[in-house]
Amino acid sequence: MMNEKPTLKSSLKAYLYLLPMLVISVTFSIWPIISSLLMSFYTKYNFYTDKVSKMGFDNFIYLWNDPDFHLAVRNTLIFVAGVVPITVILSLIIALLLNQIKWLSGFFRTVYFLPFVTSTVAIAMVWNWIYHSDYGLMNYFLSLVGIHPINWLTDPHWSLLALIIMSIWKDLGFNIILFLVGLNNIDKGYYQTAEIDGANAWQRFWNVTIPMISPITFLVSVNGVISSFKVFDQIFALFQGTPGPGKADLTIVYYLYEKFYTEYKYPIAAASGVVLFVLILLVTFVQLWYSRKHVHY
Amino acid sequence: MAKKISRVLLYLIVALGALTMLIPFLWMISTSLKSGPETIKVPPVWIPQVLRWHNYVEAFHAAPFLRYFVNSVIVTVVTTVGQLLTSILAAFAFARLRFWGKNFLFMIFLGTMMIPGEMLIIPNFVTLSKMSLVNTYGALILPWLASFFTVFTLRQTFQSTPDQIYYAAKMDGASDWKYLWTVLVPMSKSTITAVTVLEVIGSWNSFMWPLIVTNSEKMRTLPVGLQAFTTDAGTQYQLLMAASTFVIIPMVIVYMFLQKYIIAGISKAGLKG
């Protein structure tokens, strides 16, 4: 019965079930995908009347020549390269440690996961205060080990690092949970066999844990790359509605926001969105290609 | 002996890490209860001499936070319930019903999950302006009433319920509609709770979209209102921290009560994706 061919009647009925979801997603995600692709080629566009009089590659050429966009791409790449590897390694280590303990383990899991459920904007306010150059906690802790105060949020040399540190702190919990689930799913038999074969703890880690956990490592890195490429909320809140000192924290999405919301250059904003998508796609493909060789399913 | 030492070391590292995670929250609460001069004391004070609970009252009245709170609750509740309804119906069609274009449609939706949502902001803003819905609850809610992520997760759960139950229900004369709501939905309670909680958290904390589609104070949600409040609060960090606390607290409470569902939901959705 399950493999029967659909009939007109069964199709009609199914589409009634699908209708509400279809209407919303066609209006607010499928059509917009097409429309923003098209819009990125509009070169003469009046957004009041929604009239297009010319199309071409000018928006992409504009991005190619815009130093701000170069800066945005550069900052985004640094941000991704700074956040993702550290988050993956740190969260794997913490998950391995948490996996070893029983007493209080529920409490620790709760604590590590807490940043995930908190509003990015609200917690960025807190970090803004922590980074305060005169009265902030960060510089106080640094002063205890003899480091001079750093202008975390006003010095362009440090402000991207400030953003990276906060983002790592916020992202850890989510990845720890995934790693813990993965560690739990490893068949204990592998460890016993390895132990019988005389493998020490370190060898068991490298030859059992790392390969067995590799699908999760892959998943966590892909997830991390995609979400880090889209960083926006943290910046807006941490630097109070600016892209950091001297645009040191201008990212692609922030650029898109500025072009769209403050400069009303819709087609250029749309083009930067397309570039963002292509970049994410490229990096994801590289990760997929790499995982073919190194991930054990 | 060596084992004992490594055990202690293990707990020490884990506890130190946990402390690092907690410090921003502790610092936030500590600052929120200080007096103005106390916030700028060097070295910093962790426990204020007098706990100034009044800071919360002051912060709450310094901006229309009540209004923001009500907006956030309305948007979160309607978005979550609406999205759940459209998703349950669609997931059931994908899991059980036969129709033309099923695989095609499924692939299209999977493909849309690859697209960064930020790309959709501009066309959606244009659409909503044309519908003159900008700066209304409609703009805050409508685009989020369908989520393919939720459909996908529910479909997996619906598919995993045994066929026999479906045929047994059919034999008893139950319609698909009745089967869905009286058998399938109650049976999938834990997955439904998980996607609901995740959606509540996501919706409550969302920032960029509400920032873009609201332009008057009275339509702001809590995160947008809080962000705007920083300009008014200036350097009164005790008020800022009090305001941050009451934006964060509701989701922490939700999390404390429904922790196991959130974690189950993340691992389920994460591992499948």
Side-chain angles (χ1 to χ4, degrees):
Chain A
M1 186 162 161
M2 278 313 282
N3 294 322
E4 269 175 48
K5 284 230 178 301
T7 58
L8 177 64
K9 199 173 154 231
S10 75
S11 293
L12 274 178
K13 191 169 124 191
Y15 276 101
L16 273 178
Y17 278 88
L18 286 167
L19 191 68
M21 192 252 179
L22 270 180
V23 170
I24 299 288
S25 57
V26 166
T27 322
F28 294 106
S29 51
I30 293 177
W31 160 244
I33 291 171
I34 303 165
S35 146
S36 76
L37 269 175
L38 286 174
M39 195 187 274
S40 67
F41 293 103
Y42 295 170
T43 52
K44 270 197 180 154
Y45 174 65
N46 183 333
F47 68 86
Y48 289 115
T49 54
D50 201 15
K51 274 222 168 71
V52 189
S53 31
K54 228 174 147 187
M55 287 183 76
F57 286 94
D58 288 10
N59 301 318
F60 293 97
I61 295 168
Y62 179 97
L63 292 179
W64 184 258
N65 293 322
D66 184 4
D68 274 359
F69 190 68
H70 294 190
L71 190 63
V73 173
R74 183 181 151 264
N75 289 341
T76 309
L77 292 176
I78 295 175
F79 179 79
V80 172
V83 170
V84 180
I86 296 177
T87 312
V88 172
I89 293 167
L90 263 184
S91 50
L92 177 59
I93 293 173
I94 295 169
L96 283 165
L97 295 177
L98 279 176
N99 207 32
Q100 301 282 318
I101 63 177
K102 287 230 161 58
W103 183 63
L104 283 182
S105 90
F107 167 75
F108 284 128
R109 279 165 209 231
T110 308
V111 168
Y112 279 105
F113 195 64
L114 210 50
F116 176 78
V117 299
T118 50
S119 149
T120 307
V121 173
I123 207 69
M125 301 284 156
V126 179
W127 278 88
N128 175 290
W129 172 222
I130 288 175
Y131 283 134
H132 194 287
S133 49
D134 298 325
Y135 312 115
L137 212 47
M138 190 64 122
N139 280 345
Y140 169 69
F141 285 143
L142 291 178
S143 76
L144 296 180
V145 289
I147 297 174
H148 287 294
I150 293 169
N151 293 322
W152 289 100
L153 302 179
T154 47
D155 183 341
H157 293 106
W158 292 101
S159 60
L160 194 53
L161 182 66
L163 182 72
I164 290 173
I165 294 173
M166 182 186 98
S167 303
I168 293 172
W169 175 86
K170 184 139 184 6
D171 291 348
L172 275 178
F174 182 78
N175 296 338
I176 292 173
I177 297 294
L178 287 179
F179 274 127
L180 278 173
V181 174
L183 288 172
N184 237 335
N185 289 344
I186 299 178
D187 188 343
K188 301 289 172 289
Y190 289 113
Y191 289 108
Q192 282 157 7
T193 318
E195 227 173 333
I196 291 166
D197 289 346
N200 63 32
W202 184 249
Q203 286 166 330
R204 288 199 300 268
F205 171 71
W206 272 112
N207 299 317
V208 180
T209 310
I210 291 291
M212 292 305 285
I213 203 86
S214 60
I216 305 279
T217 314
F218 173 65
L219 170 81
V220 162
S221 342
V222 171
N223 252 342
V225 165
I226 295 176
S227 64
S228 304
F229 256 107
K230 304 194 285 191
V231 56
F232 175 81
D233 296 6
Q234 289 99 305
I235 305 167
F236 200 93
L238 193 56
F239 300 99
Q240 314 200 313
T242 74
K247 298 183 183 168
D249 296 79
L250 181 72
T251 59
I252 303 177
V253 174
Y254 206 100
Y255 180 92
L256 184 152
Y257 167 81
E258 280 195 331
K259 287 291 166 225
F260 162 62
Y261 199 68
T262 51
E263 297 175 29
Y264 303 107
K265 292 178 177 159
Y266 289 16
I268 289 174
S272 68
V274 173
V275 174
L276 173 72
F277 172 56
V278 172
L279 281 175
I280 291 178
L281 213 57
L282 275 176
V283 178
T284 309
F285 275 134
V286 170
Q287 286 177 300
L288 261 175
W289 167 79
Y290 183 82
S291 77
R292 283 270 165 81
K293 296 203 289 192
H294 296 276
V295 174
H296 304 257
Y297 287 102
Chain B
M1 191 58 193
K3 212 162 188 183
K4 226 174 198 165
I5 293 175
S6 73
R7 203 95 206 121
V8 171
L9 210 66
L10 179 69
Y11 267 97
L12 214 64
I13 299 171
V14 171
L16 216 65
L19 191 64
T20 315
M21 301 314 276
L22 277 180
I23 279 177
F25 294 104
L26 299 175
W27 183 237
M28 170 181 82
I29 294 166
S30 158
T31 307
S32 74
L33 296 170
K34 288 178 184 173
S35 66
E38 255 177 328
T39 59
I40 55 169
K41 256 202 184 132
V42 185
V45 206
W46 280 95
I47 299 166
Q49 234 153 27
V50 187
L51 300 180
R52 293 174 56 100
W53 296 102
H54 191 73
N55 287 344
Y56 283 85
V57 182
E58 211 176 308
F60 201 77
H61 291 296
F65 275 111
L66 183 64
R67 177 76 203 205
Y68 302 159
F69 186 85
V70 171
N71 288 343
S72 271
V73 170
I74 291 174
V75 171
T76 302
V77 169
V78 179
T79 305
T80 307
V81 172
Q83 190 189 94
L84 204 58
L85 286 177
T86 64
S87 301
I88 287 175
L89 293 176
F92 179 66
F94 278 120
R96 264 291 161 217
L97 303 177
R98 293 164 289 129
F99 57 94
W100 292 320
K102 185 175 181 172
N103 292 332
F104 172 73
L105 213 57
F106 197 74
M107 290 319 286
I108 296 254
F109 283 131
L110 268 184
T112 60
M113 282 171 82
M114 291 284 300
I115 307 281
E118 287 70 13
M119 253 181 92
L120 314 180
I121 283 177
I122 307 162
N124 280 345
F125 185 83
V126 174
T127 308
L128 289 162
S129 320
K130 277 188 195 154
M131 296 158 91
S132 17
L133 281 176
V134 170
N135 210 31
T136 65
Y137 288 122
L140 288 165
I141 292 166
L142 274 177
W144 310 104
L145 287 182
S147 153
F148 194 67
F149 166 78
T150 309
V151 174
F152 187 71
T153 314
L154 287 175
R155 169 187 166 265
Q156 300 287 97
T157 307
F158 287 174
Q159 267 179 345
S160 66
T161 51
D163 290 352
Q164 288 90 322
I165 297 179
Y166 178 63
Y167 296 128
K170 285 257 139 166
M171 290 281 238
D172 290 346
S175 61
D176 279 343
W177 182 256
K178 204 168 162 211
Y179 166 75
L180 171 61
W181 293 107
T182 59
V183 181
L184 204 49
V185 167
M187 274 180 73
S188 317
K189 221 165 51 193
S190 64
T191 310
I192 292 176
T193 314
V195 293
T196 307
V197 177
L198 286 179
E199 180 50 32
V200 166
I201 295 173
S203 184
W204 184 268
N205 293 339
S206 86
F207 177 67
M208 193 178 183
W209 181 251
L211 174 73
I212 283 171
V213 295
T214 57
N215 49 38
S216 77
E217 202 172 55
K218 66 182 210 306
M219 287 313 296
R220 282 177 188 154
T221 57
L222 267 179
V224 181
L226 177 66
Q227 209 289 319
F229 178 59
T230 49
T231 346
D232 309 329
T235 53
Q236 292 175 287
Y237 281 99
Q238 71 281 16
L239 299 186
L240 216 51
M241 292 303 108
S244 297
T245 308
F246 58 66
V247 175
I248 288 175
I249 288 294
M251 287 308 111
V252 171
I253 292 171
V254 167
Y255 168 58
M256 292 295 176
F257 280 103
L258 298 167
Q259 188 175 8
K260 82 169 197 245
Y261 291 103
I262 301 181
I263 288 171
I266 287 180
S267 29
K268 224 182 224 153
L271 293 181
K272 262 174 220 144

